[in-house]
Amino acid sequence: MLLNPKNQNDILQSFELEFEYENKPINRFHIPSEQIDKSSLLKNLEKEISEIKDCELKNNSNKLVFSDGDFNSSIMIVGEGPGQREDELGKPFVGEAGLLLNKMLKAINIERNKVYITNVVNFRPPNNRKPEKSEINKYSYYLRKHISIINPKILILLGSTAMESLLGSNVKISKIRGTWKEIIINDKVYNSIVTFHPAYLLRQPEQKKYSWLDLKVIKKKIDLINIKL
Ligand code: URA
């Protein structure tokens, strides 16, 4: 039975509902402006990185590896830099270390596609060497911009390069892993935690026990601040 507008209002008022019935159709294609901004800001940042000049990493790689995952996620993960597979596919953490990362996330009930993943450097270092200090510093400018755009509630830094890029080189990963550290970018405070890089865990599997402790600390925070994934 179709209600005439007068009856609809009478019924709603009798329920004391605090909204008004609208006869206008809902625009189901509406994308909130914040999301439009995020995706265009990310595109601009990717373009800016693609135009980097005089960079040995860029000059020797195949693809720019920007990010993977959900840009609206409250969890952002930062690795070191692309490896061979990532350089071929243009996506971070798709090789062996990526498979282990997926398992680590799964161990605390997180599906990989529910987080946002990037790296300190966006081009593969020749022969998978560690990025040099000057490269880490150069790319840290872009990484900080990247973090500001994503605006995560939790930042997970995988390994010493990500740690160095955002927390400086005066810290030791064995000392600070598994503890929360604040990072300030453009006056905004981000909660970050450093844990071992999955590629390191593949080489030193006996360290996985510490990684598990860190994952439990991360899970506790996710529950505490009520992150829904
Ligand atoms: N290691 C990283 O740090 N990043 C990747 O994307 C792959 C391996």
Side-chain angles (χ1 to χ4, degrees):
M1 181 189 68
L2 275 173
L3 298 171
N4 74 40
K6 184 168 183 312
N7 284 347
Q8 285 169 21
N9 279 339
D10 289 348
I11 291 168
L12 288 176
Q13 262 152 33
S14 74
F15 288 151
E16 292 183 291
L17 292 177
E18 289 184 348
F19 61 83
E20 283 179 19
Y21 184 86
E22 276 224 46
N23 259 338
K24 275 199 300 199
I26 299 167
N27 179 359
R28 296 187 193 281
F29 299 103
H30 173 76
I31 303 168
S33 57
E34 187 196 321
Q35 270 181 42
I36 297 174
D37 280 344
K38 250 191 191 185
S39 86
S40 59
L41 289 171
L42 288 170
K43 281 206 184 88
N44 291 345
L45 177 62
E46 187 170 358
K47 183 164 180 288
E48 202 181 335
I49 295 172
S50 76
E51 289 167 354
I52 286 178
K53 301 259 179 302
D54 302 325
C55 175
E56 189 195 339
L57 305 183
K58 181 183 167 189
N59 295 345
N60 288 287
S61 61
N62 288 306
K63 287 204 164 131
L64 193 173
V65 178
F66 188 64
S67 69
D68 190 29
D70 176 6
F71 64 61
N72 286 312
S73 179
S74 298
I75 301 180
M76 180 168 183
I77 298 181
V78 182
E80 179 175 292
Q84 186 183 351
R85 203 75 190 114
E86 290 77 19
D87 183 51
E88 284 162 8
L89 299 177
K91 246 190 185 198
F93 284 99
V94 286
E96 248 192 295
L99 292 178
L100 180 55
L101 174 62
N102 298 350
K103 283 190 195 159
M104 288 161 69
L105 294 172
K106 195 85 192 221
I108 50 168
N109 283 330
I110 300 175
E111 293 298 328
R112 176 199 167 105
N113 62 359
K114 297 281 194 283
V115 298
Y116 187 81
I117 307 177
T118 189
N119 281 308
V120 170
V121 297
N122 304 95
F123 297 99
R124 182 191 181 200
N127 305 316
N128 289 351
R129 67 160 170 75
K130 195 174 146 52
E132 287 166 6
K133 220 178 217 3
S134 61
E135 292 162 342
I136 295 174
N137 292 341
K138 179 174 188 168
Y139 279 83
S140 144
Y141 164 79
Y142 303 103
L143 178 59
R144 284 165 182 271
K145 260 194 172 182
H146 209 156
I147 294 167
S148 291
I149 298 170
I150 299 302
N151 192 21
K153 295 208 169 84
I154 286 180
L155 255 178
I156 302 174
L157 310 182
L158 298 176
S160 57
T161 303
M163 179 187 77
E164 187 175 333
S165 169
L166 295 165
L167 295 168
S169 50
N170 293 335
V171 274
K172 278 198 111 191
I173 190 164
S174 53
K175 284 255 158 57
I176 70 157
R177 50 142 280 273
T179 58
W180 292 101
K181 296 275 174 247
E182 292 184 343
I183 295 175
I184 301 172
I185 302 171
N186 293 334
D187 293 333
K188 169 118 214 281
V189 178
Y190 295 92
N191 283 308
S192 76
I193 189 164
V194 181
T195 190
F196 290 136
H197 193 291
Y200 171 75
L201 296 173
L202 289 170
R203 296 192 302 272
Q204 311 275 341
E206 72 284 356
Q207 301 291 321
K208 283 184 182 169
K209 53 182 179 290
Y210 299 112
S211 173
W212 175 232
L213 295 178
D214 300 348
L215 287 168
K216 285 195 282 186
V217 173
I218 294 168
K219 175 75 175 124
K220 204 166 158 193
K221 183 73 133 193
I222 290 174
D223 293 341
L224 187 75
I225 61 177
N226 205 14
I227 290 179
K228 296 274 175 269
L229 293 165

